[in-house]
Amino acid sequence: MPDTGIFPNIEVQRMATELHLEGEGSNRGKRDFPETSAASLDLVEKRIIERVIEHRCQGLDTFHEHRTVYEERITRDIHADFQNDVNTAQTNFQTAIAIWRNELSSSRDYLKTVSKELDDFRRDNQITRANHEGYGVLQWFVWFLFFLIFESVLNGVFFAESHVMGIAGGVGIAFGISFINVGFASVFGYGVRYFNHVLLWKKVVGTAIFVIAVVLTALFNFFVAHFRDAMTQEGATWDQAAGRAIDHITAGNFFPESIEAWLLALLGLLMAGLAGWKAYSADDPYPGYGRVWRKKHEAEHYYNTVPAEVTKKRDEALQKLADAHESVEDKIEDVRRASIEWDLLHNQFGVFLEQCNQKVNLLLKTYREANTQERQTPAPKYFSEDYTFPPVTNSGTKPAPTPQKQLTILIREAKERIHADYTNIMYTFNGNSDTNWRNKPDS
């Protein structure tokens, strides 16, 4: 007998034992019950049928529950689900296209503006060369710290002999001296770039800055050298040492007395010169040119990122369509499985109903045979008749799955629209790229 799977199993032997069918049949047979003339089932037979009906009702409930689930799976509107996924992918891409179209327009306009600014700057300042890319503010700051620390440590050694706290105190004095020396040299070095300017008065300013820088740096470092010599004299205070150093400078006596002071002065001049050079070369030597050049190329770089971003959005939209297509394929497969399971459910339900008829008659037979063996009178005629449960109408129309061809058309049309939108904006970009819009009048 085929397996009924999800339906309850009616165990004839266990049920016969629980209902004491053989004992009930023997006892009632000895008393000739039911009577020979009886035409309807007796109490024991009715209990048998009621017990089987309990299992039969469970099977009916199971059947209806499973059929409802299968019908929901089969009748699921796959087309609507897929259409929603397709619309979402298209809408998201079109929204991204609209955003990037605005970005393209605004970034193109900005690029035009800064390109014109660069062209005007080069024309006005008679520049025909490319920008001399400097190493930037960050690297200049690193060099500044290096010069500051390096000079502070070496100066500290020279001042160690003249300070009561030795090297630690010498480095403390030297740090302040080095900060002034390197700091002012850096400021002057950056300002000297105006010597390269096309305007005469700015050239004069740049030249003046250079002269002032050289004079002040020399005076400051020779003052420091005399200050160091004055500090070595016994009992000299800072104020006294500074006064003696100023007297030497104002008297025109620039050269210090000790070799250590000379080394201190030369070291200061070297560090000042290197710091000034690093500040000078941190950017293009023509004032303002590096800033305008970078501004234009940053705008150009941003403008040129539009195609990559649009391509990325297109690929994301196509991937969503591919995911949606894969998902709908899984749903179609689920519909196919549900259809098969729907058929199997009906087949199993038919087998289960037949088993109910068969097993209720086996139970009735167990009772009736025990009853007949003990009777003195003939058994009722209906003992030889099989019992049959009323038929159950389990018919249902199984819906047809959504045609695969229709979904294939949807995915193809969605891809075509996405590619058309992509081609349109890329045409807009290529038609207005940096190599083309320069020669086109503004619309």
Side-chain angles (χ1 to χ4, degrees):
M1 184 176 292
D3 181 18
T4 56
I6 61 174
F7 297 102
N9 184 31
I10 302 174
E11 300 179 11
V12 174
Q13 187 61 45
R14 182 177 61 80
M15 195 175 291
T17 302
E18 292 176 352
L19 295 173
H20 308 291
L21 296 185
E22 291 184 357
E24 289 284 350
S26 296
N27 291 335
R28 290 179 64 80
K30 290 176 181 180
R31 291 179 290 159
D32 290 326
F33 289 140
E35 297 177 355
T36 302
S37 60
S40 60
L41 302 176
D42 68 3
L43 294 176
V44 176
E45 290 171 315
K46 288 179 179 178
R47 285 201 300 270
I48 292 171
I49 292 172
E50 288 173 357
R51 181 62 68 85
V52 175
I53 285 177
E54 291 178 4
H55 287 73
R56 196 167 181 267
C57 288
Q58 292 178 13
L60 283 170
D61 291 340
T62 300
F63 169 74
H64 288 300
E65 289 174 2
H66 281 71
R67 187 170 71 172
T68 299
V69 172
Y70 292 143
E71 287 178 350
E72 288 176 353
R73 288 167 59 188
I74 294 172
T75 58
R76 183 178 183 180
D77 193 350
I78 300 176
H79 184 277
D81 291 344
F82 185 61
Q83 182 69 65
N84 183 61
D85 292 339
V86 169
N87 290 340
T88 300
Q90 286 182 280
T91 301
N92 290 344
F93 182 66
Q94 288 169 353
T95 301
I97 285 291
I99 293 172
W100 282 107
R101 195 180 300 278
N102 292 333
E103 288 290 330
L104 178 64
S105 178
S106 60
S107 62
R108 183 176 63 242
D109 292 342
Y110 179 68
L111 179 56
K112 286 181 179 181
T113 301
V114 297
S115 295
K116 185 176 185 303
E117 182 182 355
L118 177 61
D119 291 342
D120 293 344
F121 187 93
R122 296 178 68 176
R123 183 190 66 247
D124 295 342
N125 293 277
Q126 302 176 12
I127 300 175
T128 58
R129 60 173 176 81
N131 174 55
H132 291 172
E133 195 69 38
Y135 48 79
V137 176
L138 181 61
Q139 288 194 37
W140 167 81
F141 185 70
V142 173
W143 278 110
F144 176 82
L145 290 180
F146 171 76
F147 293 140
L148 178 62
I149 295 172
F150 184 76
E151 184 181 2
S152 297
V153 172
L154 292 183
N155 285 354
V157 174
F158 290 118
F159 276 102
E161 296 179 5
S162 60
H163 199 279
V164 294
M165 296 180 63
I167 293 180
V171 170
I173 298 174
F175 181 83
I177 293 173
S178 299
F179 184 83
I180 295 173
N181 188 45
V182 174
F184 275 100
S186 297
V187 173
F188 287 135
Y190 194 77
V192 165
R193 296 180 311 127
Y194 281 95
F195 176 79
N196 302 314
H197 206 280
V198 68
L199 296 178
L200 180 60
W201 72 270
K202 290 189 177 182
K203 281 183 175 292
V204 172
V205 170
T207 303
I209 291 174
F210 177 77
V211 172
I212 292 172
V214 171
V215 171
L216 289 182
T217 300
L219 289 175
F220 177 76
N221 281 282
F222 280 111
F223 165 79
V224 170
H226 284 292
F227 175 75
R228 189 265 174 195
D229 279 344
M231 285 288 292
T232 59
Q233 296 180 12
E234 185 177 354
T237 64
W238 285 21
D239 291 338
Q240 292 173 344
R244 291 173 184 172
I246 293 174
D247 291 340
H248 278 287
I249 296 298
T250 55
N253 185 15
F254 293 100
F255 303 129
E257 299 175 355
S258 65
I259 187 64
E260 290 86 354
W262 268 104
L263 291 175
L264 183 64
L266 293 176
L267 175 65
L269 291 172
L270 176 63
M271 291 296 103
L274 291 175
W277 171 252
K278 285 298 179 182
Y280 178 87
S281 58
D283 200 356
D284 188 274
Y286 195 93
Y289 188 38
R291 176 186 59 80
V292 179
W293 179 279
R294 286 190 297 274
K295 190 176 177 182
K296 186 262 185 181
H297 282 273
E298 287 169 3
E300 191 174 57
H301 174 74
Y302 180 76
Y303 179 72
N304 288 327
T305 61
V306 173
E309 291 296 330
V310 174
T311 301
K312 179 181 177 182
K313 292 296 182 182
R314 180 206 61 182
D315 294 342
E316 289 176 357
L318 293 177
Q319 184 59 49
K320 288 180 180 178
L321 288 179
D323 294 341
H325 196 201
E326 183 178 350
S327 175
V328 83
E329 290 286 354
D330 293 339
K331 293 173 184 177
I332 291 174
E333 177 61 23
D334 183 66
V335 168
R336 189 188 68 81
R337 288 196 302 268
S339 178
I340 295 172
E341 291 167 359
W342 194 91
D343 291 334
L344 180 61
L345 175 69
H346 281 72
N347 292 335
Q348 289 183 341
F349 185 59
V351 173
F352 170 73
L353 294 177
E354 182 60 29
Q355 288 184 7
C356 289
N357 288 328
Q358 293 175 4
K359 292 185 177 182
V360 75
N361 284 297
L362 288 174
L363 292 168
L364 290 172
K365 182 179 180 182
T366 300
Y367 166 73
R368 289 171 178 175
E369 286 181 349
N371 183 282
T372 301
Q373 289 175 1
E374 301 295 333
R375 294 180 68 89
Q376 299 298 319
T377 60
K381 289 183 179 181
Y382 77 83
F383 267 29
S384 60
E385 298 173 358
D386 288 339
Y387 180 83
T388 303
F389 288 105
V392 176
T393 302
N394 62 355
S395 61
T397 303
K398 190 169 53 176
T402 305
Q404 173 69 18
K405 181 179 179 181
Q406 191 175 13
L407 299 177
T408 302
I409 293 173
L410 277 177
I411 190 73
R412 187 182 69 244
E413 291 176 347
K415 287 182 177 179
E416 288 174 352
R417 282 191 290 271
I418 288 174
H419 281 296
D421 291 338
Y422 174 77
T423 301
N424 182 265
I425 193 171
M426 292 303 290
Y427 175 79
T428 302
F429 174 82
N430 292 328
N432 294 279
S433 64
D434 187 50
T435 57
N436 293 312
W437 57 255
R438 287 180 179 275
N439 299 319
K440 295 183 179 180
D442 292 339
S443 58

